[in-house]
Amino acid sequence: MHIRAIITLAIALIMGGITAFLVNYYLQKEVSARATSQVIETVPVVVAAADLQAGKALDRLQLKIVEWPKASVPESSYADIGKVLGDKPPVVLTRINRGEIILPYKLSPHGARGGIPSRIPEDRRAMSIRVNEFSGVGGFIIPGDYVDVLHTTALGRVDNRKVTRVLLQNLKVLGIDQVDAEQEGNPKVVNSVTLLVKLDEAQRLTLAQATGELTLLLRNDFDASILQHAVITYKELLSDDPEETRKPVQVYRRERRETPSVEVIRGLEVTKEQVQEGSVPQEQPQVETKP
């Protein structure tokens, strides 16, 4: 009886040891597999070492190289600061925040001059119009905003009464007075606003400014809708129900999208990095009719 108890105890100890070994083995294997799966392959990417203002030429001190997850690196990013700067440094076309990936579409060709000229596309022109405290939205317009332009005139009217029409829509503001930096600031009443326009739009603005009054409408940053509205006359202005006299309009709706971004966590540091706009499909404008 004593021998049987000893044998039973020995078997129990052996089985317990085997069980403990197997549990420990599989736990170590699981931990090792998880550690291996958490290793993310990275590649060097050039980012901004400080906030970069539009219109300023780049230099080496404003750039740095960081390791970036390979799977989320935009195709057109740079891995070498020398390739960004080239023989003659480019000019920043759009404000770049510290830590943001440097992408070609935000830079001018190498050797371009700074200021507004470097930010004008080949098919556009910069044109300044006169504004005051009222026509300039109380000074709340800053470079980088988008505006619509209203034209009030009696030109061509048989009754010689003024009408107001939507002259142009969704124009980008390049500068106010002598300021072209795209940054927030306190409201400032200015005498002129510089807009980015096509050549025919510049002609219309010039003639409209000479034959009537121009008023700017400030748009939401993410709204690029084009609204086709009828001319507003004294009839609509004095009507008890303006909706009855208003003609149907076509509303072309689309949104000005934010530049896509990803969040990167390095230890306790969390940064948001921009990716190339062209890599994200854009929605097609939707057309709806309003009475």
Side-chain angles (χ1 to χ4, degrees):
M1 189 69 177
H2 182 68
I3 296 176
R4 183 179 297 176
I6 293 175
I7 293 174
T8 302
L9 179 61
I11 293 175
L13 290 174
I14 293 173
M15 294 301 294
I18 293 174
T19 302
F21 171 79
L22 291 176
V23 170
N24 183 63
Y25 171 78
Y26 282 108
L27 283 176
Q28 289 183 350
K29 186 176 180 180
E30 180 68 16
V31 170
S32 177
R34 290 187 179 183
T36 302
S37 64
Q38 291 177 355
V39 176
I40 300 176
E41 185 178 1
T42 61
V43 294
V45 175
V46 179
V47 302
D51 292 338
L52 306 179
Q53 299 296 334
K56 306 297 182 181
L58 276 178
D59 62 54
R60 186 171 292 272
L61 295 179
Q62 296 173 324
L63 304 173
K64 66 179 180 180
I65 296 179
V66 300
E67 292 297 319
W68 198 270
K70 185 177 180 179
S72 62
V73 173
E75 294 182 1
S76 55
S77 62
Y78 298 93
D80 181 16
I81 293 179
K83 290 185 178 180
V84 179
L85 298 177
D87 296 332
K88 295 182 179 180
V91 173
V92 179
L93 299 181
T94 304
R95 177 184 169 88
I96 302 176
N97 296 321
R98 182 175 66 89
E100 185 177 340
I101 294 179
I102 303 297
L103 296 173
Y105 78 93
K106 290 196 172 185
L107 304 176
S108 72
H110 290 93
R113 295 187 299 120
I116 284 184
S118 62
R119 297 159 54 193
I120 303 175
E122 293 183 0
D123 61 339
R124 296 292 191 274
R125 302 292 186 269
M127 176 183 178
S128 295
I129 61 174
R130 295 185 304 272
V131 295
N132 54 38
E133 180 179 358
F134 305 103
S135 62
V137 197
F140 283 98
I141 295 176
I142 61 174
D145 285 341
Y146 287 81
V147 297
D148 297 337
V149 183
L150 299 183
H151 182 217
T152 302
T153 182
L155 182 67
R157 302 294 298 181
V158 176
D159 56 10
N160 203 34
R161 289 185 172 183
K162 292 182 178 180
V163 299
T164 298
R165 60 173 53 88
V166 179
L167 184 66
L168 295 170
Q169 299 183 59
N170 202 34
L171 300 181
K172 185 175 182 178
V173 178
L174 289 181
I176 52 174
D177 280 351
Q178 302 299 314
V179 179
D180 65 349
E182 295 184 14
Q183 57 187 3
E184 296 291 343
N186 296 325
K188 178 184 178 183
V189 178
V190 296
N191 297 316
S192 66
V193 171
T194 301
L195 304 174
L196 185 65
V197 296
K198 298 178 182 178
L199 189 58
D200 63 314
E201 292 173 336
Q203 292 175 295
R204 296 183 67 188
L205 276 174
T206 301
L207 185 58
Q209 191 166 228
T211 57
E213 303 171 6
L214 298 181
T215 303
L216 300 183
L217 305 178
L218 183 60
R219 301 179 68 105
N220 183 292
D221 284 342
F222 309 108
D223 177 21
S225 301
I226 302 299
L227 312 179
Q228 295 185 351
H229 280 288
V231 174
I232 300 300
T233 67
Y234 276 91
K235 182 178 179 181
E236 285 76 27
L237 181 62
L238 300 177
S239 173
D240 293 332
D241 188 1
E243 295 296 335
E244 292 183 357
T245 57
R246 187 171 300 169
K247 299 177 181 178
V249 298
Q250 292 291 326
V251 182
Y252 298 83
R253 296 199 177 279
R254 65 180 186 275
E255 292 184 354
R256 184 177 296 107
R257 295 181 174 274
E258 289 184 289
T259 302
S261 62
V262 294
E263 275 195 355
V264 178
I265 302 176
R266 301 184 183 90
L268 298 179
E269 181 182 0
V270 180
T271 58
K272 180 174 287 188
E273 307 294 348
Q274 308 293 326
V275 299
Q276 187 176 14
E277 290 179 340
S279 62
V280 178
Q282 302 293 319
E283 293 183 352
Q284 295 297 322
Q286 298 179 352
V287 181
E288 59 181 83
T289 302
K290 284 190 174 183

